[in-house]
């Protein structure tokens, strides 16, 4: 079976799917994206992802390529045509195609929309979560508007590659004051000695992760204590537990930061519990 992608109004064979060379996403990274988990054939947290997409588009003054109803149809169609039961759907919107010029193209230039989907072996991910991952830290050299989910991800790409070359799975960005902001494609969390969950406020320095938001709901309903504040690299290294969150990783325990074991050096009970309970609080679309 060939994989299928949606590109600007058409479902095409994935291997042949392409955009114009003067697409502004290609030339200027002038676009935004979302990644949504697919579980047992359902989109997970679709409403929240599409709300965040709307916000990203508004912040960059890109006109939405279509309304939410038809967009939901396209997402489901791509998932169905690729026979994805468990995996992820990726959607990207750019400011469209126009002669290369930094300023916005003429009003009415249609945004470009691309949607792809692929299967993910969540059983393997669950196995990975039994072991946990290693993280390195790198200086945060990104722009200030990391609250917008743009496709301009070069610092994130370089950070992830540095992690890979160091035998780690994620890189945590550290700001000029020594505080961890977030991972290259995940939010960062620690658990304090007295069992509080700590993650940075989404007011600055991070993307407001959907998984992060759902974990706040979980914490509230299950009476877990949560502190929304910045933490330093040193505090993280002395924490009882650490973990990352994202649509693709859910909750993934961190067992080592910059070569130093966290807690017992194995996934802790809080990270395990949050991972197990996550889907009880996520929204499943029909
Ligand atoms: N990454 N921070 C950054 C920089 C991210 O890129 C992501 C998501 C997150 C977590 O957001 P969410 O919980 O909504 O997935 C935080 C996606 C999965 C990616 O780039 O593949």
């Amino acid at each position: 079976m060939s994989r299928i992608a949606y590109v600007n109004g058409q479902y095409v064979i994935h291997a042949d799917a392409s955009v114009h060379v003067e697409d502004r996403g290609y030339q200027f990274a002038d676009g935004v994206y979302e990644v949504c988990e697919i579980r047992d054939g359902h989109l997970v947290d679709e409403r929240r992802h599409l709300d965040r997409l709307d916000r990203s588009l508004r912040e960059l003054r890109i006109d939405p390529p279509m309304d939410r109803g038809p967009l939901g149809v396209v997402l489901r169609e791509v998932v169905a045509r690729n026979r994805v039961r468990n995996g992820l759907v990726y959607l990207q919107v750019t400011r469209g195609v126009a002669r290369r010029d930094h300023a916005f193209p003429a009003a009415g230039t249609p945004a470009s929309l691309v949607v792809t989907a692929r299967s993910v072996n969540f059983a393997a991910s669950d196995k990975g979560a039994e072991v946990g991952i290693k993280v390195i830290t790198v200086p945060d050299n990104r722009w200030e508007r990391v609250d917008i989910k743009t496709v301009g991800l070069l610092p994130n790409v370089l950070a992830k590659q540095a992690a890979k070359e160091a035998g780690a799975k994620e890189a945590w960005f550290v700001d000029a004051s020594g505080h961890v902001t977030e991972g290259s494609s995940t939010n960062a969390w620690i658990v304090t000695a007295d069992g509080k969950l700590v993650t940075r406020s989404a007011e600055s320095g991070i993307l407001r992760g959907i998984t992060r938001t759902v974990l706040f709901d979980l914490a509230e309903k299950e009476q877990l204590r949560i502190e929304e504040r910045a933490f330093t690299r040193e505090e993280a290294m002395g924490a009882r537990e650490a973990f990352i969150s994202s649509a693709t990783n859910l909750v993934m325990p961190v067992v080592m930061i910059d070569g130093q074991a966290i807690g017992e050096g194995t996934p802790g009970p809080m990270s395990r519990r949050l991972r197990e309970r996550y889907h009880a609080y996520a929204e499943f679309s029909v």
Side-chain angles (χ1 to χ4, degrees), residues 33-36 49 52 88 90 142 146 149 153 156 173 182-188 206-213 245-249 278:
Y33 75 106
E34 282 294 329
V35 180
C36 194
H49 281 282
R52 186 172 64 186
L88 53 91
Y90 174 88
R142 300 174 299 161
V146 293
K149 200 162 171 56
L153 290 171
N156 310 60
F173 288 118
E182 62 180 335
S184 68
S185 64
T186 58
N187 287 120
I206 70 166
L207 179 77
R208 190 186 291 274
I210 304 301
T211 318
R212 176 186 179 280
T213 300
S245 67
S246 76
T248 40
N249 286 279
Y278 183 80

Side-chain angles (χ1 to χ4, degrees), residues 229-252:
R229 64 165 172 85
F231 57 86
T232 61
R233 170 179 177 274
E234 285 63 40
E235 184 180 1
M237 289 176 125
R240 184 194 279 180
E241 295 181 35
F243 62 91
I244 56 171
S245 67
S246 76
T248 40
N249 286 279
L250 302 176
V251 173
M252 181 59 74

Side-chain angles (χ1 to χ4, degrees), residues 6 8-9 54 57 63-74 111 113:
Y6 173 91
N8 293 327
D54 285 345
L57 291 170
D63 291 332
M66 58 176 70
D67 290 340
R68 193 174 286 213
L71 182 55
V73 171
V74 171
L113 172 63

